[in-house]
Amino acid sequence: MPFKRISIGAEPLQTVDDADAFVAGDMVREGADFAILPIIRCNEEEVMNWGHFEPEDLVIKSADNSYCLLGATSSWDSDYEYTETVVGIQAEYAGYTGLKGVVTSAIGSKVPAFGRLLYSILAKESSPKVYVRVCLSDENAWQKWNRVRVMCNHSPQLQVLLELDPSTEKAVDMKQWMAEPVHIVVLPESMFTKNAGGYPVLPRQHQATVAAWMDYDIAFVIQTTDAGSGLGDRIRYLRHLGQSQPERSVQNSASDEYRDILQVPLQPLMDHLESATYETFEQDEPKYAHYEEAMVRAIGDVAARIKRRIVLMVVGAGRGPLVSRALRAARRLEADVHVIALEKNPNAMVELQRKNATLWLNKVEVIYADMRNKQDVEKADILVSELLGSFGDNELSPECLDGALKNLATSDCVCIPRRYTAYVAPLSSSMLFRRARKHTGNFKLETPYVVNIHAAHILDDAQPVWKFRHGRPVVPTPNERTSSTVFTARSESIVHGLAGFFDAELYPGVELSICPATHTPDMHSWFPMYFPIQVI
């Protein structure tokens, strides 16, 4: 899937007298989608003397083009005693005219005063969005930003306008900033060079940085000293760069719409899943291919040690994808296998019975029962389930399989999966944290969520916390688990929670994983877990 159209704005560094004229002229002519323009052009003392703006003091004189303008406040990091008051007046005017937001000057040396000013602006009910200008040329940029956003209590109205450093000679790792609420990335004019044809391009190291940001929901801004001299060419080049990015696979494209969307984990033991939910999971070809391979190996091994018909039972059969794979595995080996499908969802039973009559030619024994307490059934030599959640055991797989192994399995029954391990890693993500705080329901920061993690920084390698094993003979083991793990963050960051993953051994030599380092290619049935924590 190609990248969506990129939003690109302009920030003229030359004097602009009238915002409406700039929008109608240079902005439209050069193909920019929006512009960052100063709110006022008078000095601070004049504003304080008069107590209000005169029309000739303003660059943004009306609300006519507010939909495509961000207002830049005057620099507040000065010695003028009323600077904070003047900036506050400009923010109020921006709210009055309905601007998309206000852009502050870069965070200077007076960080506490800057944070106090922004807090007072954001505390007002009519406050516009505030974009804090953060310059990567400042080696303390993140520390300053972090102090300001903590002072502002992680306000969702506070965003980052990230100005790249044109002087860097190699691609910069942006993972730390991709976990922050960056909504605009600024490209200084000096970042561009000219190719042999005389057109503006980005050097390779800057191309890599910009291309990485194109995979995020942000806008770009190109600074220019003369809007009529090459701005349009730079905008067209940037759009071309976006259209030249590699297309994503169908599986990844389907998952993209769930990026950073918090979802409450499924509870299939308590709730009957809907047909659409089953259908989504059934589209995961890599997962079921691995399950089929595991069943082929298990049937082969079991057939070598018993001289009778093999009983393979799929517990929690749903709409039957594993049943179909079990029948295929038996055909591949030409083995005598009796397949049983056991399901407690009465609605899914309708689909199982229909498939048995039309697709499986009544070769499957379909049973309506709860695996935890069903007893009067032929015992299974191979017990197959797909009860795993994003954290391995979080959908009660161990509790369900304990009952199934006790009542439904032979003394040497093989389980698929054989074992699974849960992993955690520290995570920084302003977006996930903000959404968790906003999420409806009780215990917002005490509840784990399933989420396709994207705008985040995993701060260290995932570490195992506990594992479960299944099969006969059963070794009595309590299902309660605790763990203590030490991590070392790769960079200075706020830890907004833990990311949870799992891997599973379906059968010796056949494994599934959603851990970042070992993720099964193109598998999309499980998104990671996010365990939010309270950030002070």
Side-chain angles (χ1 to χ4, degrees):
M1 182 181 74
F3 279 73
K4 64 182 180 181
R5 186 179 185 277
I6 301 167
S7 179
I8 303 175
E11 183 178 23
L13 301 181
Q14 79 275 22
T15 301
V16 174
D17 294 325
D18 185 276
D20 295 335
F22 181 85
V23 170
D26 290 339
M27 195 186 99
V28 171
R29 183 179 61 250
E30 303 300 332
D33 299 306
F34 66 97
I36 299 176
L37 296 177
I39 296 173
I40 65 173
R41 58 180 176 180
C42 62
N43 62 44
E44 298 163 333
E45 289 88 344
E46 290 175 336
V47 174
M48 288 305 300
N49 289 337
W50 299 329
H52 63 86
F53 295 124
E54 296 289 337
E56 59 270 19
D57 302 329
L58 295 164
V59 175
I60 301 175
K61 304 177 187 297
S62 71
D64 292 348
N65 291 295
S66 59
Y67 69 95
C68 64
L69 290 176
L70 291 167
T73 65
S74 54
S75 176
W76 70 272
D77 196 23
S78 69
D79 294 328
Y80 181 58
E81 60 181 322
Y82 297 114
T83 293
E84 293 183 30
T85 302
V86 174
V87 172
I89 293 173
Q90 292 175 68
E92 285 188 15
Y93 180 77
Y96 165 75
T97 54
L99 295 181
K100 290 161 62 75
V102 294
V103 177
T104 72
S105 58
I107 306 174
S109 59
K110 302 175 182 179
V111 180
F114 190 93
R116 183 179 65 249
L117 167 63
L118 294 190
Y119 181 84
S120 66
I121 292 173
L122 293 166
K124 297 179 180 178
E125 196 167 320
S126 59
S127 168
K129 285 187 177 179
V130 176
Y131 296 84
V132 177
R133 189 182 296 269
V134 176
C135 300
L136 289 187
S137 56
D138 183 346
E139 61 181 13
N140 296 315
W142 186 87
Q143 290 79 4
K144 291 179 179 179
W145 152 250
N146 183 54
R147 190 171 180 186
V148 167
R149 60 101 169 266
V150 170
M151 291 180 67
C152 294
N153 194 27
H154 304 267
S155 170
Q157 289 289 93
L158 193 65
Q159 317 289 351
V160 172
L161 179 144
L162 191 67
E163 188 172 311
L164 301 185
D165 181 5
S167 65
T168 183
E169 297 182 356
K170 60 181 180 179
V172 179
D173 186 355
M174 290 286 170
K175 290 188 177 68
Q176 182 184 43
W177 287 105
M178 287 169 177
E180 302 297 347
V182 175
H183 282 230
I184 298 174
V185 170
V186 177
L187 310 181
E189 189 175 55
S190 58
M191 285 186 72
F192 293 85
T193 60
K194 289 189 177 182
N195 62 14
Y199 291 98
V201 295
L202 288 171
R204 190 174 301 275
Q205 72 272 19
H206 296 320
Q207 279 188 37
T209 300
V210 171
W213 278 112
M214 286 180 173
D215 196 27
Y216 289 76
D217 188 19
I218 65 151
F220 290 92
V221 164
I222 298 175
Q223 289 180 338
T224 177
T225 53
D226 183 358
S229 178
L231 174 60
D233 287 337
R234 288 189 285 274
I235 290 175
R236 285 186 286 274
Y237 166 77
L238 210 57
R239 296 202 194 284
H240 170 74
L241 190 63
Q243 294 166 358
S244 302
Q245 299 307 304
E247 292 194 8
R248 296 173 61 77
S249 68
V250 174
Q251 292 87 352
N252 287 333
S253 296
S255 301
D256 284 353
E257 62 182 294
Y258 297 103
R259 281 180 171 179
D260 299 318
I261 301 298
L262 303 184
Q263 302 176 71
V264 177
L266 295 173
Q267 299 187 55
L269 189 61
M270 182 175 70
D271 303 321
H272 295 315
L273 301 184
E274 298 177 351
S275 181
T277 303
Y278 285 122
E279 184 175 4
T280 299
F281 293 141
E282 290 167 12
Q283 294 172 359
D284 195 338
E285 171 62 26
K287 176 180 75 173
Y288 290 111
H290 279 70
Y291 262 97
E292 181 179 328
E293 179 60 27
M295 286 188 277
V296 166
R297 297 188 184 199
I299 291 170
D301 289 346
V302 172
R305 60 181 171 80
I306 65 173
K307 305 304 178 184
R308 57 169 173 79
R309 181 181 70 171
I310 296 171
V311 178
L312 186 153
M313 185 181 298
V314 179
V315 291
R319 302 198 316 174
L322 285 180
V323 176
S324 295
R325 294 288 183 158
L327 293 171
R328 284 181 54 175
R331 286 197 300 271
R332 285 172 58 182
L333 296 176
E334 299 181 346
D336 185 10
V337 179
H338 176 53
V339 177
I340 300 173
L342 191 146
E343 176 56 50
K344 73 172 184 63
N345 185 341
N347 305 310
M349 279 294 295
V350 175
E351 183 72 10
L352 288 173
Q353 291 167 334
R354 185 189 68 80
K355 284 184 176 178
N356 197 27
T358 60
L359 182 63
W360 303 327
L361 305 178
N362 293 311
K363 294 179 180 179
V364 177
E365 182 180 352
V366 179
I367 300 174
Y368 174 54
D370 188 322
M371 71 180 78
R372 294 172 297 170
N373 48 40
K374 181 65 175 174
Q375 295 186 15
D376 54 340
V377 65
E378 189 174 4
K379 297 296 187 283
D381 301 298
I382 302 173
L383 197 68
V384 184
S385 67
E386 52 174 331
L387 307 174
L388 298 174
S390 295
F391 201 48
D393 60 297
N394 62 287
E395 292 184 12
L396 299 182
S397 176
E399 290 78 2
C400 292
L401 290 179
D402 284 349
L405 281 166
K406 178 181 177 181
N407 300 317
L408 304 175
T410 60
S411 60
D412 54 357
C413 177
V414 171
C415 262
I416 299 176
R418 295 177 74 241
R419 62 100 188 140
Y420 37 92
T421 304
Y423 296 78
V424 294
L427 168 147
S428 178
S429 174
S430 291
M431 179 177 291
L432 295 184
F433 176 71
R434 288 176 174 183
R435 288 180 173 176
R437 287 212 307 184
K438 185 179 178 181
H439 209 270
T440 57
N442 296 325
F443 310 112
K444 300 168 195 167
L445 295 178
E446 303 290 335
T447 302
Y449 299 95
V450 174
V451 57
N452 182 11
I453 297 172
H454 182 60
H457 185 196
I458 304 297
L459 300 173
D460 197 7
D461 295 335
Q463 300 293 332
V465 289
W466 51 69
K467 65 177 59 180
F468 291 88
R469 297 181 182 274
H470 299 292
R472 286 295 189 96
V474 175
V475 178
T477 306
N479 287 327
E480 293 83 4
R481 299 284 193 277
T482 60
S483 179
S484 177
T485 306
V486 176
F487 295 100
T488 302
R490 295 189 177 100
S491 62
E492 190 171 359
S493 298
I494 283 186
V495 177
H496 292 107
L498 296 173
F501 312 95
F502 81 92
D503 65 21
E505 182 187 61
L506 300 181
Y507 199 74
V510 184
E511 297 188 351
L512 295 177
S513 174
I514 67 166
C515 295
T518 57
H519 198 291
T520 302
D522 293 328
M523 187 176 70
H524 60 275
S525 278
W526 296 278
F527 294 147
M529 294 285 282
Y530 168 52
F531 298 89
I533 60 175
Q534 181 64 56
V535 175
I536 306 301

